[in-house]
Amino acid sequence: MTTYAYARVSSKDQNLERQIAAFLSFGIEKSRIFSDRKSGKDFERKEYKKLIKKLKRGDLLVIKSIDRLGRNYDQIIAEWTHITNTVGADVLVLDMPLLDTRTKADTLVGRFISDVVLQVLSFVAQNERENIKTRQAEGIRAALGKGIKFGRPQTAYSDEFLAVAADYLAKRISSETAMRLLGLKKNNFYYHIYRIKALHR
């Protein structure tokens, strides 16, 4: 059995460090960690494709959170099914230990529980993203109404980064949610928020 890991962030502004550190702590060799800086809207990701080609029956794929596999419910379920059923590899989600096919594949009840948890979490993840997207739009409109401009600054923040920042500044999401969406640590997150606020004064 070989253990691999996959990390993903949606844009070049975001940080892969937190995910990679978690994999190294788990004991995964750096050479077996694959990562992409690309949106999860599809599976046209170079490193992900390489990883899937390497995965074999009995291998283990470790991811930090379920939404690293895809951006919506259908994608996540389809990819999970391909890895576990078609390829025959196991999957472990570090942020949700219930999603660990190694300990549940040997019993029908265990497999059923794992499948139910996966479907519920996938639905929740998609629903959260859709709600956040709506709140982001509302936050940007409210900010624009107050005279805040969201043009692209010299630091070239992505539109996604600016949208999450606007949502946080409008108090639509918590700092924890914003940091998770952007893949930033606390100090780095507040540094960029300070810069954005300064640029748009």
Side-chain angles (χ1 to χ4, degrees):
M1 182 195 85
T2 304
T3 300
Y4 298 98
Y6 179 67
R8 180 182 64 78
V9 290
S10 298
S11 71
K12 293 179 180 178
D13 300 38
Q14 297 177 341
N15 200 322
L16 287 162
E17 243 177 61
R18 185 172 61 93
Q19 294 177 62
I20 292 173
F23 299 146
L24 292 174
S25 295
F26 189 77
I28 301 171
E29 295 178 19
K30 197 167 185 178
S31 63
R32 290 175 180 164
I33 298 174
F34 294 77
S35 61
D36 284 305
R37 293 180 182 273
K38 193 166 183 181
S39 168
K41 65 182 179 181
D42 56 47
F43 288 96
E44 292 304 312
R45 309 177 218 148
K46 184 178 177 182
E47 292 301 307
Y48 184 79
K49 284 183 169 182
K50 284 184 184 177
L51 167 62
I52 292 301
K53 284 182 179 178
K54 282 183 174 289
L55 270 182
K56 300 210 171 26
R57 181 170 296 276
D59 287 346
L60 173 65
L61 171 61
V62 180
I63 53 176
K64 187 75 168 62
S65 59
I66 190 63
D67 58 358
R68 298 305 87 191
L69 278 184
R71 200 171 184 176
N72 62 53
Y73 175 87
D74 290 335
Q75 282 182 346
I76 294 170
I77 295 296
E79 204 60 20
W80 181 281
T81 301
H82 174 71
I83 293 168
T84 58
N85 292 350
T86 305
V87 177
D90 284 308
V91 182
L92 166 64
V93 181
L94 294 179
D95 285 352
M96 181 54 62
L98 276 173
L99 292 177
D100 181 356
T101 61
R102 296 173 303 171
T103 58
K104 298 177 174 60
D106 55 347
T107 68
L108 183 60
V109 173
R111 184 176 296 176
F112 173 75
I113 291 172
S114 182
D115 287 347
V116 169
V117 171
L118 170 65
Q119 294 195 38
V120 170
L121 288 177
S122 299
F123 171 79
V124 169
Q126 179 178 345
N127 194 54
E128 179 186 12
R129 278 188 294 274
E130 290 174 354
N131 288 338
I132 287 174
K133 190 175 180 181
T134 299
R135 293 196 300 269
Q136 285 170 353
E138 292 171 352
I140 290 171
R141 283 196 297 270
L144 289 172
K146 293 178 182 177
I148 298 175
K149 296 180 181 178
F150 284 95
R152 190 178 294 275
Q154 290 183 350
T155 43
Y157 292 111
S158 68
D159 292 337
E160 180 182 0
F161 194 106
L162 291 173
V164 174
D167 206 20
Y168 166 72
L169 291 170
K171 298 183 179 178
R172 298 289 187 179
I173 59 174
S174 67
S175 58
E176 289 80 8
T177 298
M179 282 185 272
R180 179 169 57 79
L181 288 170
L182 297 173
L184 294 175
K185 294 182 179 179
K186 187 174 181 179
N187 289 344
N188 209 11
F189 170 73
Y190 285 112
Y191 166 78
H192 288 292
I193 289 296
Y194 173 81
R195 283 185 60 83
I196 289 170
K197 287 171 70 175
L199 286 165
H200 296 292
R201 279 175 184 166

